[in-house]
Amino acid sequence: MVVKTALRFGLIIIALLILFQLSNASLFIPDIPADAVIGLTAVVLIALGIYLGGNIKKPKVIEVKPTLVKDEEKIKSLRISARELEVLQLISDGLSNQEIGEKLFISESTIKTHVSNLFVKLDVKRRTQAVIRAKEWRIIV
Amino acid sequence: MVVKTALRFGLIIIALLILFQLSNASLFIPDIPADAVIGLTAVVLIALGIYLGGNIKKPKVIEVKPTLVKDEEKIKSLRISARELEVLQLISDGLSNQEIGEKLFISESTIKTHVSNLFVKLDVKRRTQAVIRAKEWRIIV
DNA sequence: ATTGCAGTCATACTTAAGTACTAAATTCTT
DNA sequence: AAGAATTTAGTACTTAAGTATGACTGCAAT
């Protein structure tokens, strides 16, 4: 890395020296218009600046969250129903069976049915595992 | 945005014209050495290039995953012990109290003690909530 | 029409989770 | 060394979670 930087700067210095020489020489050669040489030099120098700027400036670092998209195919393949998915999401939100029932206006015993069916489909034994599995398989966000 | 860009380029053109004029003039004024003017011009042009490069070039973007670092300060402030933290992590991994006990070679009743103490410190009622809260507060990864 | 799925609910049960203490041994800390 | 915090473990209990099974309804496809 250090060698690369040194090499780069060496090349830049050589390029600059050549330009200066050319610039000086042109003043005494009438065949080439001085303006053209100056213009060319300007363009080369600006290009050099742009090149240097790209390397000197530290890159912008932005944090990106992994794309949180549900895998609808997986949900279908596991034959998880819409209601079951709702319950699964609420389990993941930390709600108890009773709270889920209240939120969905259905009895706790129905929630238990959904939960049991979910565990079979997700191949887990506990709700904490269900949450992990469901996120692994991108069934819930 | 368009106006801003137009203005910027206008200024750049004016700056260039001034430089060209200066450059031409200096050739006939012996008081100022031609090399100095050329050198100054070079510096200005390179600076201009760097400035332009910063605006024209699309920024280098490095994508990084959100930093998953435990907040040790938070752990201390909540007075969560090392053992409790271990238990918390294993809860988050989906293990039952019994499984956690087996993994740590201690009785399930001890796990229950740790769990209860954790719930008070995390201000939650259930282990599913504990996992959510612990991740919110970056107590576990 | 009947077949099947989704959703609902209930009962009865077992197991796990969680609470509320008490208490002892161990390990830091001062 | 003394005190504080941690870790361990127990008992006794309450509550929540989870299982198994059966039953009823509505709805859509065959």
Side-chain angles (χ1 to χ4, degrees):
Chain A
M1 192 61 81
V2 177
V3 176
K4 201 178 170 186
T5 307
L7 228 151
R8 189 180 291 157
F9 273 89
L11 283 171
I12 289 163
I13 288 162
I14 290 165
L16 282 173
L17 287 174
I18 290 167
L19 278 167
F20 275 111
Q21 287 307 106
L22 194 67
S23 166
N24 278 332
S26 75
L27 299 176
F28 306 102
I29 301 164
D31 297 3
I32 308 155
D35 280 0
V37 174
I38 291 167
L40 182 70
T41 308
V43 169
V44 170
L45 288 174
I46 289 169
L48 186 64
I50 291 170
Y51 169 73
L52 282 174
N55 289 301
I56 290 168
K57 276 189 176 174
K58 53 174 177 277
K60 264 185 192 170
V61 173
I62 55 163
E63 288 194 358
V64 288
K65 298 174 203 82
T67 45
L68 299 172
V69 180
K70 274 196 269 187
D71 187 347
E72 303 290 346
E73 289 303 315
K74 190 78 189 179
I75 294 167
K76 272 183 192 166
S77 73
L78 291 172
R79 311 187 63 76
I80 291 173
S81 73
R83 204 53 155 169
E84 284 167 348
L85 198 64
E86 273 187 292
V87 173
L88 185 56
Q89 182 60 61
L90 294 172
I91 289 174
S92 160
D93 292 341
L95 275 66
S96 69
N97 289 340
Q98 196 189 321
E99 286 168 341
I100 296 170
E102 284 164 7
K103 180 155 270 185
L104 301 181
F105 303 106
I106 54 179
S107 80
E108 192 195 334
S109 86
T110 306
I111 303 302
K112 284 188 177 185
T113 306
H114 288 317
V115 170
S116 272
N117 292 334
L118 275 168
F119 288 178
V120 173
K121 290 170 184 179
L122 294 173
D123 189 31
V124 294
K125 296 218 167 293
R126 281 176 289 283
R127 50 175 57 215
T128 44
Q129 289 183 332
V131 174
I132 296 168
R133 184 60 52 82
K135 283 178 179 170
E136 264 176 21
W137 289 350
R138 305 212 334 275
I139 290 166
I140 55 169
V141 290
Chain B
M1 193 60 83
V2 178
V3 176
K4 201 177 169 186
T5 307
L7 228 150
R8 188 179 291 157
F9 272 89
L11 284 170
I12 289 162
I13 289 161
I14 291 164
L16 283 173
L17 287 173
I18 291 167
L19 277 167
F20 275 112
Q21 287 307 106
L22 194 68
S23 165
N24 279 332
S26 75
L27 299 176
F28 306 102
I29 301 163
D31 297 1
I32 309 156
D35 281 1
V37 174
I38 291 167
L40 183 69
T41 309
V43 169
V44 170
L45 288 174
I46 289 171
L48 186 65
I50 290 171
Y51 169 73
L52 282 173
N55 290 299
I56 292 167
K57 273 189 176 176
K58 54 171 178 279
K60 266 186 195 172
V61 171
I62 294 175
E63 290 191 0
V64 290
K65 297 177 204 84
T67 45
L68 298 172
V69 180
K70 275 195 270 187
D71 187 347
E72 303 290 347
E73 290 302 314
K74 191 80 188 174
I75 294 166
K76 274 184 192 168
S77 73
L78 291 171
R79 311 187 63 76
I80 291 173
S81 71
R83 203 55 153 170
E84 284 168 349
L85 198 64
E86 272 187 291
V87 172
L88 186 55
Q89 182 61 63
L90 293 173
I91 288 173
S92 159
D93 293 341
L95 275 67
S96 69
N97 289 340
Q98 197 189 321
E99 287 168 340
I100 296 169
E102 284 164 6
K103 180 156 272 186
L104 301 181
F105 303 107
I106 53 179
S107 81
E108 192 194 335
S109 87
T110 305
I111 303 301
K112 283 189 177 185
T113 306
H114 288 318
V115 170
S116 272
N117 292 334
L118 275 167
F119 288 178
V120 173
K121 290 171 184 179
L122 294 173
D123 189 31
V124 294
K125 297 218 165 296
R126 281 177 288 283
R127 49 175 58 216
T128 44
Q129 289 182 331
V131 173
I132 295 169
R133 184 60 53 82
K135 282 178 179 171
E136 262 176 23
W137 289 351
R138 305 211 336 276
I139 291 166
I140 54 169
V141 290

